[in-house]
Amino acid sequence: MTAEGTAPPRRARDADASRKALLDAAAALFDARGYGGATVREIGERAGLDAALIARYFGSKEGLYLAVLADEERAAERGPLEPDLAALAERLLTRWDGAEAPLRRALASPAPTPPERAQLRRIVRRLTDPAKEAIGGGEDAALRAELLVALLVGVSVSRANGTLAKLAGASRAQVLRQLAPLLEALEGGEGSR
Amino acid sequence: MTAEGTAPPRRARDADASRKALLDAAAALFDARGYGGATVREIGERAGLDAALIARYFGSKEGLYLAVLADEERAAERGPLEPDLAALAERLLTRWDGAEAPLRRALASPAPTPPERAQLRRIVRRLTDPAKEAIGGGEDAALRAELLVALLVGVSVSRANGTLAKLAGASRAQVLRQLAPLLEALEGGEGSR
DNA sequence: GCAGTAAGTCAACAGTTGATGACATCGCTC
DNA sequence: GAGCGATGTCATCAACTGTTGACTTACTGC
């Protein structure tokens, strides 16, 4: 009854808990299906609530999506400042690999709306700014920090969707091992040639 | 009238040309919107034809999608054998960057069906096998070749969707320059440390 | 214990979607 | 030129989607 992915048991009425349940259900389904593939009925069912509460509490499905992204933004702001690219990679992979991770799905989504895109850019800036400074700051460093994010998005979504067979089948330790020289190259930049 | 993205002018009836028009329109829209975001009406309109022809010629929307992926598979098979990771990166970036590229979108899609996933795996194998051999063959080499694909998927989709600001704003030459040390690291493997 | 309100549900709606089959039209062959 | 079949269109359908508002029920405070 309380198994992973099924609706939670009935509980006393609690709007905050209901909002949280909808956010959690939405995060999982937006990650697994993408924004368009996740329906409000499925989100409601997974949360153990009626889908009408989505419009009630968040204004709309889009409002719920932006709230899920706002949660990711808060987590990025509350998290530690990652001092270098290796720490950032570790953090993102830990957060994204084998988990319900709406952020990596959103970063790979096909046609973000302007508010979505703005929010995602803010989150990425928050995540990458400290590590960017550690490799010298400036435009090149920002580009390399973002290359790391792009790499991890690619790794993460393809491990989740199974399209790259070896990557999907590898252990996280293996993936980290193979990523290590890439991280060094990113930390060194084109001068490392 | 024949501007990019709008329906082509009326022409004499030609089933092959119509099939091609639908495939082209679908490729563009599956890339831009993802599979779920592209509607049969929009595909039909873009092809200058009625959407009913999708079911007629391809059986269903899903059948059209698999046909688009089959085109990508044929292109991979007919293309040259890329001798190393650098050549593969050049080829994929040329094919994917600033273009209508259903393959990169498909490789990042949230929930591929088993036939979709099988097809994508075949395409990736075809693309990576030669370059994999150039870095020694074996499981580690395969993993590294796939890491390159994951990286380029991440770079390509984020440049298209604009979620990573610096990467989206950089010229292709800049991106290639920053990728160069990553490619070297992938060619060297973890032994390059 | 009762009243009032907040929380949750249910039914319905308008619009959209992929698919189907009837119909129209074009083009080729005789 | 006529006939036939292939090609393309149009109208329609069932199912689905996000949203809305009426209704129900639970909970809190007096």
Side-chain angles (χ1 to χ4, degrees):
Chain A
M1 266 288 99
T2 56
E4 187 72 38
T6 60
R10 295 298 306 262
R11 55 163 169 72
R13 293 176 179 209
D14 181 341
D16 284 342
S18 294
R19 256 186 292 264
K20 177 80 171 58
L22 287 171
L23 281 165
D24 290 347
L29 288 167
F30 288 149
D31 175 42
R33 306 278 170 73
Y35 174 74
T39 67
V40 293
R41 285 173 175 84
E42 247 185 322
I43 292 166
E45 190 176 321
R46 189 183 169 104
L49 298 163
D50 193 272
L53 290 183
I54 291 172
R56 174 81 65 71
Y57 290 143
F58 301 98
S60 62
K61 182 186 177 185
E62 172 71 13
L64 174 60
Y65 187 57
L66 291 173
V68 167
L69 294 185
D71 270 0
E72 292 279 342
E73 192 171 0
R74 262 189 300 278
E77 277 162 3
R78 269 188 327 233
L81 298 166
E82 304 300 347
D84 55 39
L85 292 187
L88 179 59
E90 177 77 32
R91 174 176 171 184
L92 291 184
L93 213 50
T94 300
R95 174 71 193 87
W96 290 350
D97 204 44
E100 291 164 348
L103 180 57
R104 54 106 186 265
R105 175 45 55 202
L107 287 171
S109 67
T113 63
E116 290 165 12
R117 189 186 296 108
Q119 203 165 13
L120 290 167
R121 285 180 169 199
R122 283 201 303 272
I123 296 171
V124 169
R125 210 159 39 238
R126 175 59 187 76
L127 290 171
T128 55
D129 268 354
K132 178 189 86 176
E133 297 307 325
I135 51 174
E139 291 298 293
D140 265 13
L143 200 47
R144 291 186 344 256
E146 284 189 0
L147 268 178
L148 174 63
V149 175
L151 170 63
L152 295 177
V153 167
V155 167
S156 181
V157 297
S158 61
R159 275 169 72 78
N161 72 19
T163 54
L164 302 180
K166 304 297 180 198
L167 252 185
S171 70
R172 193 184 303 170
Q174 275 176 295
V175 174
L176 278 168
R177 204 155 49 237
Q178 299 296 345
L179 284 176
L182 300 194
L183 295 183
E184 292 197 29
L186 281 172
E187 281 173 339
E190 53 180 318
S192 65
R193 281 188 293 182
Chain B
M1 268 290 100
T2 57
E4 188 71 36
T6 59
R10 297 296 307 259
R11 52 161 172 72
R13 295 177 175 205
D14 180 341
D16 285 341
S18 293
R19 260 188 288 267
K20 176 82 171 62
L22 287 170
L23 281 166
D24 290 347
L29 288 167
F30 288 148
D31 175 41
R33 306 279 171 75
Y35 174 76
T39 67
V40 294
R41 285 173 176 85
E42 247 184 321
I43 292 166
E45 190 175 324
R46 190 184 171 103
L49 297 163
D50 193 272
L53 290 184
I54 292 171
R56 172 79 66 70
Y57 289 143
F58 301 98
S60 64
K61 183 185 176 186
E62 172 71 13
L64 174 61
Y65 186 58
L66 292 173
V68 167
L69 294 184
D71 269 1
E72 291 280 343
E73 192 170 2
R74 261 188 300 277
E77 277 162 4
R78 266 186 331 225
L81 297 166
E82 303 298 348
D84 55 40
L85 292 186
L88 179 59
E90 177 76 33
R91 175 177 171 185
L92 291 183
L93 212 50
T94 299
R95 174 71 192 86
W96 290 351
D97 204 45
E100 292 164 345
L103 180 57
R104 53 105 187 265
R105 175 45 58 202
L107 287 170
S109 67
T113 63
E116 289 165 12
R117 189 186 296 109
Q119 202 165 14
L120 290 167
R121 286 181 167 198
R122 281 201 303 273
I123 296 171
V124 169
R125 206 156 45 238
R126 175 58 187 78
L127 288 172
T128 55
D129 267 354
K132 178 188 85 174
E133 297 307 326
I135 51 174
E139 291 297 294
D140 264 13
L143 199 48
R144 286 177 357 248
E146 283 189 2
L147 268 179
L148 174 63
V149 176
L151 169 63
L152 294 177
V153 168
V155 167
S156 181
V157 297
S158 62
R159 274 166 74 76
N161 72 19
T163 53
L164 301 180
K166 302 300 180 200
L167 211 45
S171 68
R172 193 185 302 171
Q174 276 176 295
V175 174
L176 278 168
R177 207 157 45 239
Q178 299 296 345
L179 285 176
L182 298 193
L183 294 184
E184 291 198 27
L186 282 171
E187 280 173 340
E190 49 180 321
S192 66
R193 279 188 293 181

Short mmCIF file of all heavy atoms in Angstrom, two decimals, chain B residues 109-158:
data_model
loop_
_atom_site.label_atom_id
_atom_site.label_comp_id
_atom_site.label_asym_id
_atom_site.label_seq_id
_atom_site.Cartn_x
_atom_site.Cartn_y
_atom_site.Cartn_z
N SER B 109 15.22 11.31 -25.09
CA SER B 109 13.80 11.28 -24.78
C SER B 109 13.51 10.53 -23.48
O SER B 109 14.26 9.65 -23.08
CB SER B 109 13.03 10.65 -25.94
OG SER B 109 13.35 9.28 -26.07
N PRO B 110 12.42 10.89 -22.81
CA PRO B 110 12.19 10.36 -21.47
C PRO B 110 11.80 8.89 -21.36
O PRO B 110 12.22 8.26 -20.43
CB PRO B 110 11.07 11.26 -20.91
CG PRO B 110 10.46 11.94 -22.07
CD PRO B 110 11.46 11.95 -23.16
N ALA B 111 11.00 8.40 -22.24
CA ALA B 111 10.50 7.04 -22.03
C ALA B 111 10.37 6.30 -23.35
O ALA B 111 9.26 6.04 -23.81
CB ALA B 111 9.17 7.08 -21.29
N PRO B 112 11.49 5.96 -23.95
CA PRO B 112 11.39 5.26 -25.24
C PRO B 112 10.72 3.89 -25.09
O PRO B 112 10.92 3.20 -24.09
CB PRO B 112 12.85 5.12 -25.67
CG PRO B 112 13.66 5.32 -24.46
CD PRO B 112 12.89 6.18 -23.52
N THR B 113 9.95 3.53 -26.10
CA THR B 113 9.37 2.19 -26.12
C THR B 113 10.49 1.19 -26.45
O THR B 113 11.55 1.57 -26.96
CB THR B 113 8.29 2.09 -27.21
OG1 THR B 113 8.92 2.28 -28.48
CG2 THR B 113 7.21 3.14 -27.01
N PRO B 114 10.29 -0.07 -26.15
CA PRO B 114 11.32 -1.05 -26.49
C PRO B 114 11.77 -1.05 -27.95
O PRO B 114 12.99 -1.08 -28.20
CB PRO B 114 10.68 -2.39 -26.07
CG PRO B 114 9.77 -2.01 -24.95
CD PRO B 114 9.23 -0.66 -25.31
N PRO B 115 10.87 -0.99 -28.92
CA PRO B 115 11.39 -0.92 -30.30
C PRO B 115 12.18 0.36 -30.59
O PRO B 115 13.18 0.32 -31.33
CB PRO B 115 10.14 -1.00 -31.19
CG PRO B 115 8.97 -0.97 -30.29
CD PRO B 115 9.42 -1.22 -28.92
N GLU B 116 11.76 1.45 -30.01
CA GLU B 116 12.51 2.70 -30.18
C GLU B 116 13.91 2.55 -29.58
O GLU B 116 14.91 2.91 -30.20
CB GLU B 116 11.78 3.86 -29.49
CG GLU B 116 10.50 4.29 -30.18
CD GLU B 116 9.64 5.18 -29.28
OE1 GLU B 116 10.13 5.65 -28.24
OE2 GLU B 116 8.46 5.40 -29.62
N ARG B 117 13.95 2.03 -28.37
CA ARG B 117 15.24 1.90 -27.68
C ARG B 117 16.17 0.96 -28.45
O ARG B 117 17.37 1.25 -28.63
CB ARG B 117 15.07 1.39 -26.26
CG ARG B 117 16.35 1.45 -25.45
CD ARG B 117 16.22 0.82 -24.09
NE ARG B 117 15.28 1.49 -23.23
CZ ARG B 117 14.09 1.02 -22.87
NH1 ARG B 117 13.70 -0.18 -23.27
NH2 ARG B 117 13.29 1.70 -22.11
N ALA B 118 15.63 -0.14 -28.95
CA ALA B 118 16.45 -1.09 -29.71
C ALA B 118 17.03 -0.43 -30.95
O ALA B 118 18.21 -0.60 -31.27
CB ALA B 118 15.62 -2.31 -30.09
N GLN B 119 16.21 0.34 -31.62
CA GLN B 119 16.67 1.02 -32.83
C GLN B 119 17.76 2.03 -32.51
O GLN B 119 18.76 2.12 -33.22
CB GLN B 119 15.48 1.71 -33.49
CG GLN B 119 15.66 1.99 -34.95
CD GLN B 119 14.34 2.34 -35.64
OE1 GLN B 119 13.35 2.63 -34.96
NE2 GLN B 119 14.33 2.34 -36.95
N LEU B 120 17.55 2.78 -31.45
CA LEU B 120 18.54 3.79 -31.07
C LEU B 120 19.86 3.13 -30.69
O LEU B 120 20.94 3.63 -31.01
CB LEU B 120 18.00 4.64 -29.92
CG LEU B 120 16.85 5.57 -30.33
CD1 LEU B 120 16.16 6.14 -29.11
CD2 LEU B 120 17.36 6.69 -31.22
N ARG B 121 19.78 2.01 -29.99
CA ARG B 121 21.01 1.30 -29.63
C ARG B 121 21.76 0.83 -30.87
O ARG B 121 22.98 0.89 -30.93
CB ARG B 121 20.68 0.12 -28.71
CG ARG B 121 20.32 0.54 -27.30
CD ARG B 121 20.03 -0.67 -26.44
NE ARG B 121 19.98 -0.27 -25.04
CZ ARG B 121 20.09 -1.12 -24.02
NH1 ARG B 121 20.27 -2.42 -24.23
NH2 ARG B 121 20.03 -0.69 -22.78
N ARG B 122 21.02 0.37 -31.85
CA ARG B 122 21.67 -0.08 -33.09
C ARG B 122 22.38 1.08 -33.78
O ARG B 122 23.50 0.94 -34.26
CB ARG B 122 20.63 -0.67 -34.06
CG ARG B 122 20.19 -2.07 -33.76
CD ARG B 122 19.60 -2.74 -34.99
NE ARG B 122 18.48 -2.00 -35.55
CZ ARG B 122 17.21 -2.13 -35.18
NH1 ARG B 122 16.88 -2.96 -34.22
NH2 ARG B 122 16.27 -1.42 -35.77
N ILE B 123 21.70 2.22 -33.82
CA ILE B 123 22.30 3.38 -34.47
C ILE B 123 23.59 3.78 -33.76
O ILE B 123 24.62 4.05 -34.39
CB ILE B 123 21.30 4.57 -34.50
CG1 ILE B 123 20.07 4.21 -35.34
CG2 ILE B 123 21.96 5.82 -35.04
CD1 ILE B 123 18.93 5.22 -35.25
N VAL B 124 23.50 3.83 -32.44
CA VAL B 124 24.68 4.23 -31.67
C VAL B 124 25.83 3.24 -31.88
O VAL B 124 26.99 3.63 -32.04
CB VAL B 124 24.34 4.37 -30.17
CG1 VAL B 124 25.60 4.52 -29.35
CG2 VAL B 124 23.41 5.56 -29.97
N ARG B 125 25.48 1.97 -31.88
CA ARG B 125 26.54 0.97 -32.11
C ARG B 125 27.21 1.19 -33.47
O ARG B 125 28.43 1.13 -33.60
CB ARG B 125 25.94 -0.43 -32.03
CG ARG B 125 26.96 -1.49 -31.63
CD ARG B 125 26.34 -2.73 -31.00
NE ARG B 125 25.18 -3.20 -31.71
CZ ARG B 125 23.98 -3.33 -31.13
NH1 ARG B 125 23.81 -3.02 -29.87
NH2 ARG B 125 22.97 -3.77 -31.82
N ARG B 126 26.37 1.42 -34.48
CA ARG B 126 26.90 1.64 -35.82
C ARG B 126 27.84 2.85 -35.84
O ARG B 126 28.87 2.86 -36.51
CB ARG B 126 25.74 1.85 -36.80
CG ARG B 126 26.14 2.21 -38.21
CD ARG B 126 27.04 1.15 -38.82
NE ARG B 126 27.56 1.57 -40.12
CZ ARG B 126 28.56 2.43 -40.29
NH1 ARG B 126 29.14 2.98 -39.24
NH2 ARG B 126 28.99 2.75 -41.48
N LEU B 127 27.47 3.87 -35.12
CA LEU B 127 28.25 5.11 -35.12
C LEU B 127 29.55 4.95 -34.33
O LEU B 127 30.56 5.56 -34.69
CB LEU B 127 27.43 6.25 -34.52
CG LEU B 127 26.27 6.78 -35.38
CD1 LEU B 127 25.43 7.77 -34.58
CD2 LEU B 127 26.79 7.45 -36.65
N THR B 128 29.49 4.20 -33.25
CA THR B 128 30.64 4.19 -32.34
C THR B 128 31.60 3.02 -32.53
O THR B 128 32.75 3.10 -32.08
CB THR B 128 30.18 4.17 -30.86
OG1 THR B 128 29.30 3.08 -30.66
CG2 THR B 128 29.47 5.46 -30.49
N ASP B 129 31.16 1.97 -33.19
CA ASP B 129 32.03 0.79 -33.26
C ASP B 129 33.42 1.05 -33.85
O ASP B 129 34.41 0.63 -33.27
CB ASP B 129 31.33 -0.34 -34.02
CG ASP B 129 30.57 -1.29 -33.08
OD1 ASP B 129 30.70 -1.11 -31.84
OD2 ASP B 129 29.89 -2.19 -33.57
N PRO B 130 33.52 1.75 -34.99
CA PRO B 130 34.86 1.94 -35.53
C PRO B 130 35.78 2.74 -34.61
O PRO B 130 36.92 2.35 -34.37
CB PRO B 130 34.61 2.68 -36.85
CG PRO B 130 33.17 2.48 -37.15
CD PRO B 130 32.48 2.34 -35.85
N ALA B 131 35.25 3.85 -34.08
CA ALA B 131 36.09 4.70 -33.21
C ALA B 131 36.43 3.97 -31.92
O ALA B 131 37.50 4.19 -31.34
CB ALA B 131 35.36 6.00 -32.91
N LYS B 132 35.56 3.11 -31.48
CA LYS B 132 35.82 2.31 -30.28
C LYS B 132 37.06 1.43 -30.49
O LYS B 132 37.91 1.33 -29.59
CB LYS B 132 34.59 1.47 -29.98
CG LYS B 132 34.73 0.56 -28.80
CD LYS B 132 33.55 -0.40 -28.67
CE LYS B 132 33.77 -1.65 -29.53
NZ LYS B 132 32.72 -2.67 -29.34
N GLU B 133 37.13 0.83 -31.66
CA GLU B 133 38.28 -0.03 -31.95
C GLU B 133 39.57 0.78 -31.96
O GLU B 133 40.62 0.30 -31.56
CB GLU B 133 38.10 -0.75 -33.29
CG GLU B 133 36.91 -1.70 -33.35
CD GLU B 133 36.92 -2.71 -32.20
OE1 GLU B 133 38.01 -3.14 -31.75
OE2 GLU B 133 35.81 -3.05 -31.72
N ALA B 134 39.47 2.01 -32.41
CA ALA B 134 40.66 2.87 -32.50
C ALA B 134 41.22 3.18 -31.12
O ALA B 134 42.39 3.58 -31.01
CB ALA B 134 40.34 4.16 -33.23
N ILE B 135 40.41 3.08 -30.06
CA ILE B 135 40.94 3.35 -28.71
C ILE B 135 41.09 2.04 -27.92
O ILE B 135 41.05 2.04 -26.70
CB ILE B 135 40.10 4.39 -27.94
CG1 ILE B 135 38.60 4.04 -27.95
CG2 ILE B 135 40.32 5.77 -28.52
CD1 ILE B 135 37.78 4.99 -27.07
N GLY B 136 41.20 0.96 -28.66
CA GLY B 136 41.58 -0.27 -27.99
C GLY B 136 40.51 -1.34 -27.91
O GLY B 136 40.80 -2.47 -27.52
N GLY B 137 39.27 -1.00 -28.24
CA GLY B 137 38.22 -2.00 -28.13
C GLY B 137 37.92 -2.32 -26.68
O GLY B 137 38.46 -1.69 -25.77
N GLY B 138 37.03 -3.28 -26.47
CA GLY B 138 36.70 -3.71 -25.12
C GLY B 138 35.64 -2.84 -24.47
O GLY B 138 35.17 -1.86 -25.03
N GLU B 139 35.32 -3.23 -23.25
CA GLU B 139 34.21 -2.58 -22.56
C GLU B 139 34.50 -1.12 -22.21
O GLU B 139 33.64 -0.26 -22.35
CB GLU B 139 33.86 -3.36 -21.28
CG GLU B 139 33.24 -4.72 -21.53
CD GLU B 139 31.90 -4.61 -22.26
OE1 GLU B 139 30.94 -4.07 -21.68
OE2 GLU B 139 31.83 -5.06 -23.43
N ASP B 140 35.71 -0.87 -21.71
CA ASP B 140 36.05 0.50 -21.36
C ASP B 140 35.99 1.43 -22.57
O ASP B 140 35.51 2.56 -22.48
CB ASP B 140 37.45 0.54 -20.76
CG ASP B 140 37.42 0.51 -19.24
OD1 ASP B 140 36.34 0.20 -18.69
OD2 ASP B 140 38.45 0.80 -18.62
N ALA B 141 36.50 0.95 -23.69
CA ALA B 141 36.49 1.77 -24.90
C ALA B 141 35.05 2.05 -25.34
O ALA B 141 34.72 3.17 -25.76
CB ALA B 141 37.27 1.07 -26.01
N ALA B 142 34.22 1.03 -25.26
CA ALA B 142 32.82 1.22 -25.63
C ALA B 142 32.16 2.26 -24.73
O ALA B 142 31.39 3.12 -25.18
CB ALA B 142 32.07 -0.11 -25.54
N LEU B 143 32.48 2.15 -23.45
CA LEU B 143 31.93 3.11 -22.49
C LEU B 143 32.38 4.53 -22.84
O LEU B 143 31.60 5.49 -22.81
CB LEU B 143 32.39 2.71 -21.10
CG LEU B 143 31.66 3.23 -19.88
CD1 LEU B 143 30.16 3.08 -20.00
CD2 LEU B 143 32.15 2.52 -18.62
N ARG B 144 33.64 4.66 -23.18
CA ARG B 144 34.16 6.01 -23.49
C ARG B 144 33.56 6.54 -24.79
O ARG B 144 33.29 7.73 -24.88
CB ARG B 144 35.69 6.00 -23.55
CG ARG B 144 36.20 5.91 -22.14
CD ARG B 144 37.69 5.83 -21.90
NE ARG B 144 38.62 5.77 -22.98
CZ ARG B 144 39.36 4.71 -23.29
NH1 ARG B 144 39.22 3.58 -22.62
NH2 ARG B 144 40.25 4.79 -24.24
N ALA B 145 33.38 5.67 -25.75
CA ALA B 145 32.74 6.12 -26.99
C ALA B 145 31.31 6.60 -26.70
O ALA B 145 30.85 7.62 -27.22
CB ALA B 145 32.74 4.99 -28.02
N GLU B 146 30.64 5.87 -25.85
CA GLU B 146 29.28 6.29 -25.48
C GLU B 146 29.28 7.56 -24.64
O GLU B 146 28.36 8.37 -24.74
CB GLU B 146 28.56 5.16 -24.74
CG GLU B 146 28.06 4.07 -25.67
CD GLU B 146 27.17 3.06 -24.97
OE1 GLU B 146 26.89 3.23 -23.77
OE2 GLU B 146 26.74 2.11 -25.64
N LEU B 147 30.30 7.73 -23.83
CA LEU B 147 30.40 8.98 -23.08
C LEU B 147 30.48 10.16 -24.05
O LEU B 147 29.91 11.23 -23.79
CB LEU B 147 31.63 8.97 -22.18
CG LEU B 147 31.45 8.48 -20.76
CD1 LEU B 147 32.77 8.50 -20.02
CD2 LEU B 147 30.42 9.32 -20.02
N LEU B 148 31.18 9.96 -25.13
CA LEU B 148 31.26 11.02 -26.13
C LEU B 148 29.88 11.31 -26.70
O LEU B 148 29.48 12.48 -26.84
CB LEU B 148 32.21 10.62 -27.28
CG LEU B 148 32.22 11.61 -28.44
CD1 LEU B 148 32.75 12.97 -27.99
CD2 LEU B 148 33.05 11.08 -29.60
N VAL B 149 29.13 10.26 -27.01
CA VAL B 149 27.78 10.47 -27.53
C VAL B 149 26.91 11.19 -26.50
O VAL B 149 26.20 12.15 -26.83
CB VAL B 149 27.14 9.12 -27.95
CG1 VAL B 149 25.70 9.33 -28.40
CG2 VAL B 149 27.96 8.47 -29.06
N ALA B 150 27.01 10.75 -25.25
CA ALA B 150 26.22 11.40 -24.19
C ALA B 150 26.58 12.88 -24.09
O ALA B 150 25.71 13.75 -23.96
CB ALA B 150 26.47 10.70 -22.86
N LEU B 151 27.88 13.16 -24.14
CA LEU B 151 28.33 14.55 -24.08
C LEU B 151 27.73 15.36 -25.23
O LEU B 151 27.21 16.47 -25.02
CB LEU B 151 29.87 14.57 -24.15
CG LEU B 151 30.55 15.92 -24.36
CD1 LEU B 151 30.26 16.86 -23.20
CD2 LEU B 151 32.05 15.74 -24.54
N LEU B 152 27.80 14.82 -26.42
CA LEU B 152 27.30 15.57 -27.57
C LEU B 152 25.78 15.69 -27.56
O LEU B 152 25.24 16.71 -28.01
CB LEU B 152 27.80 14.93 -28.87
CG LEU B 152 29.32 15.02 -29.05
CD1 LEU B 152 29.77 14.31 -30.31
CD2 LEU B 152 29.81 16.46 -29.05
N VAL B 153 25.10 14.69 -27.05
CA VAL B 153 23.64 14.82 -26.86
C VAL B 153 23.36 15.98 -25.90
O VAL B 153 22.55 16.87 -26.19
CB VAL B 153 23.03 13.51 -26.32
CG1 VAL B 153 21.59 13.75 -25.85
CG2 VAL B 153 23.04 12.42 -27.38
N GLY B 154 24.06 15.97 -24.76
CA GLY B 154 23.85 17.04 -23.79
C GLY B 154 24.14 18.42 -24.38
O GLY B 154 23.37 19.36 -24.21
N VAL B 155 25.28 18.52 -25.06
CA VAL B 155 25.64 19.81 -25.67
C VAL B 155 24.59 20.22 -26.70
O VAL B 155 24.12 21.37 -26.72
CB VAL B 155 27.03 19.70 -26.33
CG1 VAL B 155 27.29 20.89 -27.23
CG2 VAL B 155 28.12 19.61 -25.25
N SER B 156 24.22 19.28 -27.52
CA SER B 156 23.33 19.59 -28.63
C SER B 156 21.92 20.00 -28.18
O SER B 156 21.37 21.00 -28.66
CB SER B 156 23.27 18.37 -29.55
OG SER B 156 22.45 18.61 -30.63
N VAL B 157 21.36 19.24 -27.25
CA VAL B 157 20.00 19.59 -26.81
C VAL B 157 20.01 20.88 -26.01
O VAL B 157 19.07 21.69 -26.10
CB VAL B 157 19.28 18.45 -26.05
CG1 VAL B 157 19.08 17.24 -26.93
CG2 VAL B 157 19.97 18.10 -24.75
N SER B 158 21.06 21.12 -25.23
CA SER B 158 21.05 22.35 -24.43
C SER B 158 21.33 23.58 -25.31
O SER B 158 20.85 24.67 -25.02
CB SER B 158 22.01 22.25 -23.25
OG SER B 158 23.31 22.07 -23.67
#
